[in-house]
Amino acid sequence: MIVITAASGKLGAALADAFKAKGLAGQVRLAVRSPAKLAARKAEGFDVAAADYDDPASLRTAFAGAEIAVIISGMGTNDIRTAQHHNAIEAAKAAGVTRIVYTSATNPVSTSRFDWAKAHEATEAELKASGIAYTILRDNSYFANNDPLFANAKASGVLPFTGIDAKVAYVSHEDVADSIVGAVTGSGHANRTYEIAGGEAWSAVELAALLSELTGKEIKALDVPVAAFEEQFRSMGLPEWVATGVGSFYAALGAGEYAATSEDVGRLAGRPSTSARAYLKAFA
């Protein structure tokens, strides 16, 4: 049995689809705060269980009988995330889980400009000291993080970004999901850390040029300060910790922290990572 926590988000959905494609739905339990959200998954053969990162008892119940737990990182400030991940690790130990697969992030160090990297750093350290076998997947930025920017660029001719010449080795949710499936079902992945990044890295200038080619409309990259992104998030009604946290992520991208490419998607998923051209075709 494989248990996936926080399974109702974008990555959880992609991961369920990936396991289903492998014919493994019957071996997977999707653990979420509101099981009713995933009622349709039961018809696909998945088990669905209630589990809340803030409720250790619910986690122990969800992990019961599982061999592998896939812990998708939680949401919240660094303190909240670290506590949530601690609860999941302790519950997995109590339930007899033999390996934890954790979705971390590129450059998970406290010196990163990305503020939430601190939670990943703390969780990785706890995992390595837990006594349970682990597999850590450090995910680069998702192409989909920029979907609103890509859509706006098609309409306005402007692709705003912080540090338009800095490269990012983007991945798709499917890249990460297929890599997780490979890490779960394959052998030799215990106590290993993988960099889930694209085989190519792209700057905003290069993405704008590619969008221009694909859409037939001239699109230019525009360098904007992090503060502009933060103000936009505030205007959308997002909490301050979200505005500054996501803003710090764009600062890290613009500083080149996510530029390193990797072949680990190919090693785990058995296929190349998604290309920028293939992803951006949807916007054409």
Side-chain angles (χ1 to χ4, degrees), residues 251-267:
L253 297 178
E257 291 186 29
Y258 281 57
T261 60
S262 171
E263 299 302 323
D264 283 349
V265 171
R267 293 186 182 95

Side-chain angles (χ1 to χ4, degrees), residues 67-224:
E67 180 182 359
I68 297 176
V70 178
I71 298 177
I72 295 177
S73 58
M75 286 294 293
T77 62
N78 283 316
D79 288 345
I80 290 173
R81 286 181 188 231
T82 302
Q84 289 178 337
H85 300 162
H86 169 76
N87 289 343
I89 292 168
E90 288 298 305
K93 289 168 65 175
V97 168
T98 59
R99 181 159 62 103
I100 292 174
V101 178
Y102 173 65
T103 60
S104 184
T106 297
N107 197 31
V109 296
S110 55
T111 54
S112 170
R113 290 168 178 79
F114 180 33
D115 182 57
W116 298 343
K118 298 180 181 69
H120 291 300
E121 181 181 48
T123 300
E124 286 195 14
E126 182 172 358
L127 268 176
K128 292 174 182 178
S130 69
I132 299 180
Y134 63 84
T135 307
I136 295 169
L137 281 71
R138 293 174 173 168
D139 303 341
N140 206 287
S141 181
Y142 292 114
F143 279 115
N145 290 341
N146 297 325
D147 280 359
L149 300 180
F150 295 147
N152 182 68
K154 181 182 177 181
S156 68
V158 176
L159 178 63
F161 215 80
T162 296
I164 58 175
D165 293 311
K167 291 180 180 287
V168 179
Y170 293 102
V171 289
S172 68
H173 282 82
E174 291 73 22
D175 291 338
V176 176
D178 288 347
S179 295
I180 291 173
V181 171
V184 167
T185 61
S187 59
H189 303 307
N191 302 327
R192 297 287 301 274
T193 299
Y194 295 99
E195 301 293 338
I196 308 304
E200 294 181 286
W202 295 78
S203 69
V205 170
E206 292 166 333
L207 290 176
L210 185 53
L211 274 170
S212 297
E213 176 190 337
L214 292 170
T215 62
K217 178 177 181 177
E218 184 178 14
I219 297 171
K220 295 290 187 181
L222 175 67
D223 209 332
V224 298

Side-chain angles (χ1 to χ4, degrees), residues 1-3 26-29 47 59-69 91-98:
M1 176 63 69
I2 302 151
V3 176
Q27 299 177 38
V28 176
R29 179 179 299 146
D47 186 18
L59 291 167
R60 289 192 294 271
T61 300
F63 289 150
E67 180 182 359
I68 297 176
K93 289 168 65 175
V97 168
T98 59

